[in-house]
Each structure stands twice: as C-alpha cells, then as structure tokens.
C-alpha cells in the first residue's frame, strides 16, 4: 500500500500544479537534472514549483494556499532553493530560475481600462 499511497499523492500533487494558462512554462527543463555539479545543489521539483509561483509574484501565504501546505513549508522550500542556487533573496531566486530557463517569465498583466 505504500507505493499506492505515493502514486495517489503524486496524482493529487500534480492536480494542484499551476496550469499553462498562468503564463509559466508548464514543462520546463527537468529540475532534478539542473545542478552545478554538486548533488546538494540540485533543485527539487517541488522547489521549482514554488519558484514558479514566486516568479508570478505570489506571497508565501498565497503559494501555501495554492499548494495546500503550511506557510512554514513554503518558507523552508524557498530558503532551500535559495541556498542551492546560491542567491540571497526571493527576487534573486526568481531571476535565476527565469534566466536559467527553468521557469518562463511571468505573464504580463494587461493595462486596466480606467
């Protein structure tokens, strides 16, 4: 039953992922393959998913709500991704994942009619 539970969890996790309609690349390069040669600096698929939402400008609370996890979990995943990618801010993390091609640029917001 352990493998069935993992498969079920993976299915549910996949259903919470942001769609291509968000303007974020839905199928970027495999995050597990992106590393600077040190296995400790490989960004996990979940960290990449969090980074995608961070690039869109979501707060930790908004990301946590979207992924149905705690704010503390998101903060930990952001911190881990920042450490692995050797950056010191959320903005630098967003820039690095976009420049590397792991995440597409944020969807531009059309001007509002006023």
């Amino acid at each position: 039953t352990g493998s069935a539970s993992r498969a079920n969890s993976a299915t549910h996790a996949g259903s919470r992922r942001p769609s291509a309609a968000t303007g974020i690349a839905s199928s970027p390069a495999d995050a597990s393959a992106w590393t600077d040669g040190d296995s400790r600096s490989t960004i996990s698929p979940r960290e990449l998913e969090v980074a995608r939402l961070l690039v869109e400008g979501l707060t930790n609370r908004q990301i946590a709500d979207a992924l149905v996890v705690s704010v503390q979990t998101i903060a930990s995943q952001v911190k881990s991704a920042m450490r692995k990618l050797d950056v010191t801010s959320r903005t630098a993390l967003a820039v690095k994942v976009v420049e590397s091609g792991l995440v597409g640029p944020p969807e531009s917001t059309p001007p509002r009619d006023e």
Side-chain angles (χ1 to χ4, degrees):
T1 60
S3 62
S5 295
R6 284 190 298 275
N8 193 22
S9 295
T11 300
H12 289 294
S15 66
R16 291 190 302 259
R17 289 184 179 205
S19 70
T22 64
I24 299 172
S26 59
S27 301
D30 181 10
S32 62
W34 192 65
T35 179
D36 62 4
D38 181 348
S39 63
R40 292 173 295 160
S41 63
T42 303
I43 189 169
S44 74
R46 184 58 147 194
E47 290 164 349
L48 180 60
E49 186 173 23
V50 169
R52 283 186 191 126
L53 296 172
L54 189 144
V55 165
E56 285 297 317
L58 274 65
T59 65
N60 282 2
R61 164 57 59 201
Q62 292 167 323
I63 296 170
D65 290 346
L67 300 180
V68 193
V69 297
S70 73
V71 175
Q72 292 79 12
T73 296
I74 296 304
S76 175
Q77 290 168 335
V78 168
K79 184 176 180 178
S80 177
M82 287 170 52
R83 178 184 45 79
K84 290 176 179 181
L85 299 180
D86 196 30
V87 296
T88 57
S89 71
R90 292 169 57 93
T91 301
L93 175 61
V95 168
K96 189 143 189 178
V97 296
V98 169
E99 287 181 348
S100 70
L102 287 172
V103 173
E107 184 176 307
S108 61
T109 305
R112 290 188 279 172
D113 292 326
E114 293 187 32

